[in-house]
Amino acid sequence: MMSVGLYRYNGDIYDRKSELTLSENISTQEFYDEHWERAIHELGISIIRDGSEIALHQLLDALAELERLREWAIQWLDGANLEYMKDRVEHLQRILPNVFDSEEVVLYIF
């Protein structure tokens, strides 16, 4: 099953010698396509989305986007869908501030 995740490498992502140093699941592809994409579109999210590269200077904006996504989930989802998206967003809110151990770190979402 395909999924969307948050990744960090110890060098240039396009260098075959770079090693994966962080891998966090964001969502299954199916759930992302159905719910995350809708929320991203409706909220005008620009950082926390498939295909993004996130640098340290974007951290506060990324955290603000996550909070907006969390609030969207609470408003529009229920049951297992709400719990799944809310849990994933809250996990990202907890880990994101701790993964930038230098100015050079870039995170990728794909």
Side-chain angles (χ1 to χ4, degrees):
M1 179 180 287
M2 296 198 43
S3 63
V4 176
L6 177 75
Y7 304 95
R8 180 181 67 192
Y9 292 82
N10 67 353
D12 185 340
I13 189 174
Y14 304 105
D15 180 349
R16 289 176 182 257
K17 295 181 181 119
S18 284
E19 294 178 9
L20 184 66
T21 59
L22 174 80
S23 173
E24 292 290 339
N25 181 41
I26 292 177
S27 176
T28 64
Q29 189 69 53
E30 182 180 358
F31 190 90
Y32 184 89
D33 291 346
E34 185 173 344
H35 300 293
W36 284 78
E37 282 286 348
R38 180 175 151 219
I40 286 165
H41 176 74
E42 289 179 9
L43 298 171
I45 298 295
S46 62
I47 301 170
I48 304 296
R49 62 184 305 149
D50 193 11
S52 286
E53 296 183 7
I54 307 168
L56 178 59
H57 72 272
Q58 296 172 293
L59 177 59
L60 292 179
D61 290 335
L63 290 170
E65 285 189 357
L66 284 168
E67 186 55 31
R68 290 172 57 213
L69 287 163
R70 184 179 166 281
E71 291 168 4
W72 181 93
I74 291 167
Q75 182 176 356
W76 295 104
L77 302 177
D78 56 27
N81 288 339
L82 169 59
E83 288 308 309
Y84 180 71
M85 186 162 176
K86 200 162 87 56
D87 287 351
R88 299 307 334 152
V89 168
E90 290 171 354
H91 179 69
L92 291 172
Q93 288 175 310
R94 282 191 301 275
I95 66 159
L96 217 52
N98 304 312
V99 297
F100 288 99
D101 50 14
S102 77
E103 292 272 338
E104 290 76 41
V105 168
V106 176
L107 303 176
Y108 302 91
I109 298 177
F110 58 84

